[in-house]
Amino acid sequence: MIIDFHTHCFPDKIADSAIKKLAYVAGGLIPQHDGTLSGLKELNRRTGIDCSVVLNIATNPKQMTNVNNFAAEMNKEEGIIAFGSVHPDAPDALEELERIKEMGLKGVKFHPESQQFFTDDPKMKPIYRKISELGLIVSFHAGRDYSFPAPYHNMPENMAGALKMLDCPVIAAHFGGVGGLDETIDKLCGLPLYFDTAFGYAQFAREEIMRFIDRHGADRILFGTDAPWMNAEMIKSFLGSLELSEEEMEMIKYKNAEKLLNK
């Protein structure tokens, strides 16, 4: 059993152009599926994923409603749990969070680089308060992003500040940020949040990740691929190189996710 807590796909009519653009700006990444929902499901079938959490991102206020409508439709598919998104600058962000809850979506995704906000900015307090009141899960892109220049908007100190404004399950993607694991260990490990393994393959030294897991605990780490940019075989190989017990591996692969999702 594997629940992939970090995947992406797009509406069929824009999937091809979106994938090509994202692959180019990220330095020529080779996508593992074609960017569509059907492509993601086929990748899951081939690589042994039982359920995917699809993280949708409203990159501007005008597209927010359509992004969440797309998420709601995906959420009806077997083996798919879709998160919605709100844009911090949308005047109706609080109302949209209520609609996300009403549509049965379990969480929201923020990408502070594509949405251009610092996660510890006090302006986020009303949005974080509403998310907490609604009992939603919140997932953040964390650390650097190859597609964007510095300064980055959710480094460990920003994430620590945002946590003080949230009272709900929080996930920091990419082990808290590719390229800054020491800082993440120092400033975030031990705090009340989850990390996912997305994009972890070949990005971290084995000893670093073992130190990370020892400090934070396997009970708050989620299996994630960042598909279409990596696939489950890569992440399984990565995790298999670590000195994890069978119980710890089961926690990461699906038990922690089941607890979060009330599955």
Side-chain angles (χ1 to χ4, degrees):
M1 175 73 171
I2 302 178
I3 297 174
D4 186 346
F5 222 100
H6 190 140
T7 69
H8 304 284
C9 61
F10 307 93
D12 288 358
K13 64 181 180 181
I14 67 166
D16 184 62
S17 61
I19 285 291
K20 287 177 179 176
K21 178 181 178 180
L22 290 168
Y24 174 78
V25 298
L29 289 176
I30 299 173
Q32 304 298 307
H33 70 76
D34 65 3
T36 66
L37 176 59
S38 60
L40 173 62
K41 294 178 76 171
E42 173 59 20
L43 178 66
N44 288 350
R45 185 193 65 77
R46 287 190 285 108
T47 59
I49 296 295
D50 299 279
C51 179
S52 280
V53 177
V54 181
L55 303 176
N56 299 282
I57 304 164
T59 58
N60 65 67
K62 291 182 179 179
Q63 70 173 200
M64 188 171 67
T65 299
N66 288 338
V67 164
N68 292 323
N69 288 344
F70 176 60
E73 284 302 309
M74 273 197 293
N75 207 44
K76 300 173 184 177
E77 296 279 334
E78 185 177 356
I80 298 294
I81 295 174
F83 277 26
S85 183
V86 295
H87 195 283
D89 295 329
D92 56 342
L94 300 184
E95 291 80 5
E96 188 66 8
L97 284 168
E98 292 179 352
R99 197 171 76 93
I100 284 171
K101 178 71 172 183
E102 290 169 1
M103 291 190 295
L105 305 181
K106 290 182 178 290
V108 294
K109 167 72 173 182
F110 289 109
H111 196 296
E113 304 314 319
S114 62
Q115 295 176 316
Q116 287 293 289
F117 75 100
F118 286 97
T119 53
D120 57 348
D121 191 323
K123 79 173 186 179
M124 294 300 294
K125 282 184 179 180
I127 291 175
Y128 292 161
R129 186 181 304 116
K130 177 62 72 171
I131 290 170
S132 300
E133 290 172 355
L134 293 171
L136 296 169
I137 303 165
V138 59
S139 175
F140 290 95
H141 170 84
R144 298 166 177 81
D145 187 303
Y146 298 144
S147 305
F148 295 87
Y152 298 108
H153 293 75
N154 193 25
M155 300 304 285
E157 64 269 22
N158 306 116
M159 189 74 261
L163 275 176
K164 296 176 182 178
M165 296 185 273
L166 285 155
D167 185 22
C168 63
V170 177
I171 303 162
H174 315 298
F175 281 106
V178 173
L181 202 63
D182 285 340
E183 189 180 359
T184 300
I185 291 171
D186 290 342
K187 295 183 178 180
L188 294 180
C189 278
L191 296 183
L193 80 163
Y194 290 81
F195 297 97
D196 74 33
T197 68
F199 212 75
Y201 176 78
Q203 298 295 319
F204 304 106
R206 179 174 172 275
E207 291 76 15
E208 287 182 313
I209 291 297
M210 289 171 62
R211 182 160 59 94
F212 183 103
I213 295 174
D214 285 343
R215 179 77 66 87
H216 194 67
D219 60 328
R220 286 181 289 170
I221 297 174
L222 303 163
F223 189 102
T225 62
D226 207 5
W229 309 117
M230 288 191 176
N231 66 47
E233 294 299 336
M234 295 173 176
I235 303 301
K236 284 188 284 187
S237 177
F238 162 59
L239 291 175
S241 73
L242 306 178
E243 295 175 359
L244 298 174
S245 68
E246 182 177 348
E247 181 181 7
E248 288 172 323
M249 193 71 85
E250 288 179 349
M251 287 179 184
I252 294 170
K253 284 184 173 179
Y254 70 95
K255 287 186 176 180
N256 298 335
E258 285 184 329
K259 182 179 178 180
L260 262 182
L261 297 167
N262 295 317
K263 285 179 66 69

